[in-house]
Amino acid sequence: MAEAARENMSGQRPTVPTWLVPGFILFCLVYPRHDFAYYSNVNESARIYLVMAAVDHRVLQIDESIKQFGDVHDKAEHGGHFYCDKPIGLSLLAVPVYGVMKVVGAVMGHGWTLGELRYIFTVVCVSLPTVLLCIGLRRYWRELTGDALLVEFAILAYALGTIAFTYSTQFMGHQLAAVLAGAHFLLARRVTNRTGWRIAATMGLLAGLGAITDYFSSFLHLFIILGYVRRMRPWSVWAGWLLAGVVGVAPLLIYNTICFGGPLTIAYAYESLGVFKESHSTGFMGVTFPRLESMWGLLFSASKGLFYLSPFLVFALLGIGPGLRSREWRGEWIVILLGVVTIMYLAMSLLVWRAGRTIGPRHMVSMLPLLMTLVVMGVSRRPMVRPWFVGLTILGTAIIGISTMTLPGFEENFENPFASQAMFLLGRGWVSPNLGQAIGLRGVWSLVPLALVFGGLLVYLTRTMNDAKRRLFTWSRVGAMALSIGWFGFVARHEPDHPALLTLLQGRTLGLLGEFRDSSVFLERAIDLNPSQDFLQESVPQLLVNYQQLGDQRAVQRLEAKVRRIESGEVQPSH
């Protein structure tokens, strides 16, 4: 299989410059800044607070950052101090970055804002490593398939058409974990009975850092190690591997000992928020067993379904057989399948499987490079599905792109958040702060440069995937595009939530973004549609915040009067 692939690749003239797709991916990853005036991702904030505490104050508790920048839900409490409750790998990588930034800031006389720190940390520690992973995957997938053009499109599909894009633009550990696991997997392919100590030590370091960046991804590294444990020789290189692995994992053990009294006592055992403490004390740190609700919700639902958001991933099923039947690839395929199934199982076993205000199943991000490898193999072995892969990739990229470029976290109670949140915000001209706004473009217009460049690249890749003997338009291509357009039209308009609940959730989302007046209109309307105690409890706190921000005391009095009428039974909910 590999020999045939290499022959195909050697006989195929390269038509895409090697820098084009990785360069465009980097452009897309740095385009959104996500520096909102009112909304902040508490998952990111806790990590940033730890970086600032370590560099600015030489401590590990985040008390001072909380006092300066505001409280966060995601924190641990022990010994009268607050700590970041996340795996510390990503924060660890950001410490030297922040150290350099402080020097640069001192020279330039510039004080870094929290938003600027978040953006630069993300670009350096998450976005750039993602691009490097894409370059490594491109070489691997070309060896698998021998089809350079298909691989260029597949790299684009992975980086921009899956939730890897969303988490490559945020200072969260999931995508860095994917990079570390992917790099470990690619290096493991070079293991022989004459493995050099540099490769062995690098793999040990990647495994150690992966374990302290995303706990679930530790299983990926375990399976990768089991895949080469019988092949890596001489035995002496294992000493370097072990030493590097200890170096990689030691920071977490030291952190746990200093903060919580023991190397194996992690922050989840000391969650500050009661609901988090309860969830993490159930099962093994919140992991129980899969349920039908979580399986459907994380794989297929409109709310967070992996295959709903990126439908081309379903072609992974076509890639299982060819790899398992090949004697050359079988070992790698077993590692891939174990990794994919295990991460899916763990994500679906979480008691709080929705995982908060997020896009898609964020705990599955680490295995996406492996899942995408199955997709690439499946599509390459069945040319007739290639147009459908292209069409569904364009669809997935549109869904993920719009979701990420508006507000990169879905309200978890929406049944179809793409329509009810992403398209809703886009229709109101609300987009995430981005580089387009830095050159004077406003609202949706700020996305035009990104859309034009992306559209041009898609057209270019789609045309170059057609050799001289094939027509550009065939019935399969037309059908694939029709399916994609129809699917997009459906998911962009389908809003299954009850009108009152939909209005409530949209009003709450607008409030998070600082649109206090519009938020108040929506929340008041939600109460009018369903004047019940439940809706009062969900709406009134945000309404009071809105009116306080607006300085509208008369609106507060009007709201209080409305609440009294509802509580007295003067206004009854309609059934």
Side-chain angles (χ1 to χ4, degrees):
M1 185 185 293
E3 289 76 6
R6 281 189 283 270
E7 288 177 9
N8 288 339
M9 191 164 57
S10 61
Q12 183 178 18
R13 293 183 60 187
T15 56
V16 179
T18 56
W19 57 267
L20 182 61
V21 171
F24 176 70
I25 290 171
L26 179 60
F27 172 66
C28 291
L29 297 186
V30 304
Y31 200 84
R33 293 187 294 112
H34 299 324
D35 185 11
F36 299 94
Y38 293 92
Y39 170 77
S40 64
N41 184 330
V42 293
N43 194 302
E44 294 180 299
S45 299
R47 301 173 193 272
I48 297 172
Y49 286 1
L50 176 58
V51 177
M52 299 177 71
V55 176
D56 292 338
H57 307 290
R58 306 293 193 273
V59 297
L60 297 177
Q61 56 262 31
I62 60 174
D63 303 358
E64 290 301 319
S65 295
I66 289 176
K67 292 177 183 177
Q68 183 177 357
F69 298 105
D71 201 2
V72 291
H73 292 159
D74 291 12
K75 63 181 183 292
E77 184 176 2
H78 182 64
H81 295 288
F82 295 115
Y83 299 91
C84 173
D85 66 342
K86 307 300 177 188
I88 67 168
L90 180 58
S91 297
L92 179 67
L93 291 184
V95 165
V97 178
Y98 185 41
V100 173
M101 290 177 65
K102 281 185 68 76
V103 174
V104 173
V107 172
M108 298 176 57
H110 177 72
W112 300 102
T113 67
L114 198 63
E116 290 171 335
L117 291 178
R118 192 215 66 82
Y119 179 67
I120 296 176
F121 289 172
T122 302
V123 169
V124 176
C125 301
V126 184
S127 303
L128 285 173
T130 296
V131 175
L132 294 177
L133 173 64
C134 289
I135 294 172
L137 289 173
R138 176 170 63 182
R139 180 179 300 178
Y140 173 44
W141 292 347
R142 282 184 177 183
E143 184 178 343
L144 281 178
T145 68
D147 191 333
L149 294 175
L150 173 64
V151 168
E152 296 294 333
F153 206 94
I155 289 294
L156 200 66
Y158 164 68
L160 304 180
T162 72
I163 54 176
F165 175 54
T166 304
Y167 295 99
S168 295
T169 66
Q170 299 185 79
F171 192 63
M172 299 169 68
H174 307 297
Q175 181 57 25
L176 178 61
V179 172
L180 295 171
H184 190 185
F185 177 80
L186 294 176
L187 270 182
R189 304 184 66 249
R190 300 172 60 181
V191 169
T192 65
N193 58 2
R194 299 183 63 181
T195 302
W197 68 268
R198 289 185 180 87
I199 292 179
T202 302
M203 291 193 299
L205 183 62
L206 290 170
L209 289 176
I212 70 172
T213 300
D214 183 311
Y215 297 140
F216 282 0
S217 72
S218 300
F219 289 92
L220 296 178
H221 293 281
L222 174 62
F223 297 139
I224 294 168
I225 293 167
L226 292 175
Y228 64 74
V229 67
R230 297 175 60 184
R231 292 185 287 119
M232 193 165 77
R233 300 290 184 274
W235 287 105
S236 58
V237 300
W238 280 100
W241 180 94
L242 182 61
L243 178 61
V246 170
V247 170
V249 78
L252 178 65
L253 303 180
I254 296 171
Y255 177 82
N256 290 341
T257 301
I258 294 174
C259 300
F260 309 114
L264 301 181
T265 305
I266 63 176
Y268 290 151
Y270 293 96
E271 285 288 349
S272 176
L273 198 64
V275 64
F276 289 173
K277 182 180 296 185
E278 180 181 354
S279 65
H280 284 104
S281 63
T282 303
F284 181 74
M285 291 300 172
V287 178
T288 55
F289 51 86
R291 299 168 296 283
L292 288 177
E293 180 188 24
S294 61
M295 288 188 284
W296 171 261
L298 294 181
L299 296 180
F300 305 109
S301 75
S303 175
K304 287 185 180 292
L306 182 69
F307 297 105
Y308 186 92
L309 297 171
S310 305
F312 60 87
L313 291 176
V314 73
F315 291 126
L317 294 173
L318 302 179
I320 297 175
L324 290 178
R325 287 192 295 268
S326 168
R327 181 176 300 177
E328 182 176 2
W329 304 112
R330 186 176 300 135
E332 293 177 16
W333 247 241
I334 292 174
V335 170
I336 289 173
L337 290 172
L338 283 173
V340 169
V341 172
T342 300
I343 295 299
M344 284 186 172
Y345 179 89
L346 290 171
M348 294 184 296
S349 298
L350 282 169
L351 182 66
V352 188
W353 57 268
R354 290 183 176 86
R357 180 178 284 275
T358 60
I359 294 178
R362 62 183 174 95
H363 292 293
M364 295 186 186
V365 171
S366 61
M367 62 79 179
L368 285 178
L370 303 182
L371 183 65
M372 195 67 201
T373 299
L374 298 178
V375 173
V376 172
M377 176 65 87
V379 174
S380 70
R381 292 298 179 269
R382 291 171 173 78
M384 66 179 299
V385 307
R386 187 170 303 186
W388 303 96
F389 170 64
V390 172
L392 292 180
T393 294
I394 295 173
L395 169 65
T397 304
I399 294 174
I400 296 294
I402 293 173
S403 300
T404 303
M405 293 303 301
T406 48
L407 179 62
F410 286 154
E411 158 66 58
E412 62 181 335
N413 294 303
F414 280 128
E415 289 194 38
N416 182 13
F418 178 68
S420 302
Q421 178 178 304
M423 293 302 295
F424 167 74
L425 293 175
L426 190 70
R428 300 178 66 85
W430 182 272
V431 297
S432 172
N434 57 70
L435 297 183
Q437 295 175 350
I439 61 174
L441 300 176
R442 293 289 178 263
V444 177
W445 291 104
S446 65
L447 301 182
V448 169
L450 182 64
L452 288 177
V453 177
F454 181 50
L457 181 63
L458 280 180
V459 171
Y460 175 72
L461 289 178
T462 303
R463 290 182 65 88
T464 53
M465 285 181 69
N466 297 275
D467 56 51
K469 297 181 180 180
R470 299 181 67 185
R471 293 174 294 141
L472 179 62
F473 294 101
T474 63
W475 284 113
S476 59
R477 291 180 176 84
V478 172
M481 292 307 300
L483 172 64
S484 301
I485 293 171
W487 192 331
F488 181 85
F490 173 75
V491 301
R493 297 176 61 87
H494 179 56
E495 294 182 325
D497 294 298
H498 185 279
L501 179 60
L502 176 65
T503 306
L504 168 68
L505 298 177
Q506 289 176 335
R508 206 156 62 183
T509 300
L510 290 172
L512 283 176
L513 296 172
E515 297 291 322
F516 301 116
R517 192 170 301 281
D518 288 345
S519 171
S520 301
V521 172
F522 273 75
L523 293 174
E524 293 264 17
R525 186 187 305 161
I527 295 175
D528 292 339
L529 289 171
N530 190 343
S532 64
Q533 288 293 331
D534 290 339
F535 269 66
L536 286 180
Q537 293 175 3
E538 295 291 337
S539 301
V540 170
Q542 181 65 56
L543 279 168
L544 292 176
V545 171
N546 292 349
Y547 292 141
Q548 182 181 10
Q549 292 288 336
L550 295 170
D552 193 344
Q553 188 60 36
R554 293 181 62 184
V556 174
Q557 295 171 356
R558 185 178 67 249
L559 175 63
E560 291 173 346
K562 179 184 291 188
V563 171
R564 285 194 296 269
R565 290 198 303 272
I566 295 173
E567 291 179 340
S568 67
E570 182 179 341
V571 179
Q572 294 290 333
S574 59
H575 298 284

